[in-house]
Amino acid sequence: MVDVPKVCRAAPATNAGSMNYTITCREDYPVPEPKEGELLVKLNFCGVCQSDHHMMAGDWGLGPAPGVDCTGHEGAGVVAKLGPGVDPAKWKIGDRVGITPVNWTCGECEFCNNGHETICLKKSYIANAVNGTYTQYPTVHESWAIRIPDNVDDAQAAPFMCSGGTAYTATKAAGAKPGDTIVVFGAGGGVGHMVTQFCKADGFNVIGIDVGDAKRKVAEHAGAAHFLDVTKVADKDLPAEVRKLSPDGLGAHAVIVAAGNPKAYANAPGLLRPLGVIVAVGIPAAGTAIAGADPALVTFAGIQIRGILVTSRVDMADALRYLADGKVKENVEVVPFAEFPATLAAVAESKTSGRKVIDYSK
Ligand SMILES: [Zn+2]
Ligand SMILES: [Zn+2]
């Protein structure tokens, strides 16, 4: 049995949906009843993602729905209760389960049926349509509850539900072959250090770009063969530096922008070889121009821009195999529940390396 209390730990926000939101740790947050088709989940760990800040601030133009005050979209724990209509042969109380950024998709629209279910026309997102993983007892539709492999622990699984899956899909979107050169913007960050590992596992030559020595260490540990520190290399010199580090001198086959920094997008086109691909993953605040280059650069070189939004269930299953096989590993720092507000503030300002994970039991 998994105990289901009336109230639980949570870090809800006041002024949800505005830049003035604040989150506070509470021990008395109501535990909801799972609705039709939903699982009530008891989380052990919750990853803290920069998107949590944007979702709660609403500065992507995608704020929380009325009544949603817990952000967060990456968690791991166990099924605590089945909602009406959930098949007890499929889910049992105590089953290990992960929560990703998606809560539900229709399974019927054009995008659900062409392999892009995360942009389903009727989707509901965690922390947008329903409360997220900043409460220890969130709900998730059973169709998007993710099974966690036996040999993967919850502290790894929680952040992987967003950063690992997203990194896998982003790496796939680069369309690269072993030996190809890939630039990863934000290579020392939560998503970027996972992109770097997937690229390394697939045999790519990774040039990590990020800020400062702490991020350099994380990026190099993740498998970046080269690292460019933007505090030491000027923007105008990045194209020449990247060409030097690509074996044939032509530049990168793909630039994966895993940073939410507008400058990363501005610099990306200039680092590519002809027919290069920009994979857009990081999301700066609304109002940033993508690929801030002269359109002639894009046209003459046949450059493509591909956006990817988190990860499908098929990709998540593939990505989890890399994790279970030990080919990739989240660089996790576990922090106690009481440090939720300070941790989110640091992550929002890109001051952390790797991934911070909240332990609900500490
Ligand atoms: Zn995330
Ligand atoms: Zn759909």
Side-chain angles (χ1 to χ4, degrees):
M1 278 302 289
V2 175
D3 59 315
V4 181
K6 294 244 176 321
V7 294
C8 66
R9 288 187 152 180
T14 49
N15 298 320
S18 95
M19 291 303 283
N20 302 322
Y21 78 89
T22 48
I23 71 165
T24 316
C25 290
R26 277 174 54 183
E27 303 279 346
D28 61 349
Y29 195 78
V31 172
E33 272 298 312
K35 298 193 190 82
E36 180 80 23
E38 288 181 343
L39 304 176
L40 178 70
V41 176
K42 179 189 183 186
L43 293 179
N44 295 318
F45 291 91
C46 166
V48 179
C49 180
Q50 196 172 53
S51 305
D52 300 341
H53 159 68
H54 292 291
M55 297 284 283
M56 196 37 87
D59 64 350
W60 288 342
L62 178 79
V68 172
D69 60 0
C70 289
T71 189
H73 53 252
E74 41 189 77
V78 292
V79 175
K81 193 171 182 180
L82 310 187
V86 175
D87 182 356
K90 186 174 171 197
W91 289 104
K92 292 188 174 46
I93 290 169
D95 280 356
R96 297 184 66 208
V97 64
I99 292 182
T100 84
V102 179
N103 177 53
W104 178 82
T105 48
C106 78
E108 292 170 354
C109 73
E110 176 185 343
F111 305 103
C112 278
N113 280 302
N114 67 11
H116 298 88
E117 61 184 5
T118 61
I119 49 175
C120 166
L121 293 174
K122 295 181 182 167
K123 77 248 160 195
S124 92
Y125 292 137
I126 295 283
N128 167 242
V130 295
N131 255 347
T133 53
Y134 281 27
T135 170
Q136 192 179 6
Y137 284 81
T139 59
V140 61
H141 194 271
E142 58 99 8
S143 59
W144 268 88
I146 305 293
R147 289 196 191 274
I148 300 170
D150 288 344
N151 62 338
V152 171
D153 67 39
D154 284 346
Q156 279 286 316
F160 197 84
M161 290 295 121
C162 169
S163 73
T166 301
Y168 174 81
T169 298
T171 304
K172 209 168 95 171
K177 305 182 299 298
D180 283 0
T181 296
I182 310 288
V183 168
V184 181
F185 269 107
V191 175
H193 87 286
M194 294 305 293
V195 170
T196 301
Q197 290 185 57
F198 281 111
C199 285
K200 175 82 191 302
D202 287 348
F204 308 152
N205 172 42
V206 181
I207 304 171
I209 301 184
D210 214 321
V211 182
D213 281 340
K215 304 238 185 190
R216 169 194 289 272
K217 268 193 203 122
V218 171
E220 287 177 347
H221 186 252
H226 313 282
F227 185 84
L228 298 173
D229 182 340
V230 291
T231 62
K232 292 175 184 154
V233 181
D235 287 354
K236 67 173 175 42
D237 297 329
L238 283 175
E241 290 297 322
V242 167
R243 266 183 236 118
K244 249 189 267 170
L245 297 171
S246 67
D248 61 5
L250 285 177
H253 294 77
V255 175
I256 301 177
V257 184
N261 186 332
K263 274 173 77 177
Y265 280 101
N267 286 320
L271 311 185
L272 288 167
R273 68 206 285 115
L275 300 186
V277 176
I278 296 170
V279 181
V281 188
I283 314 177
T288 300
I290 193 165
D294 191 321
L297 177 62
V298 175
T299 306
F300 278 76
I303 284 169
Q304 294 181 45
I305 301 172
R306 296 180 190 153
I308 70 112
L309 182 67
V310 297
T311 199
S312 68
R313 287 167 289 184
V314 169
D315 273 6
M316 180 58 83
D318 288 344
L320 278 167
R321 235 164 277 136
Y322 278 72
L323 184 65
D325 291 348
K327 290 182 184 164
V328 299
K329 190 172 186 219
E330 293 272 352
N331 185 325
V332 159
E333 187 193 334
V334 174
V335 292
F337 172 67
E339 287 177 25
F340 231 135
T343 303
L344 177 60
V347 169
E349 292 174 24
S350 301
K351 284 185 177 157
T352 58
S353 316
R355 204 56 148 189
K356 303 280 183 200
V357 176
I358 302 293
D359 182 346
Y360 271 114
S361 74
K362 294 273 164 62

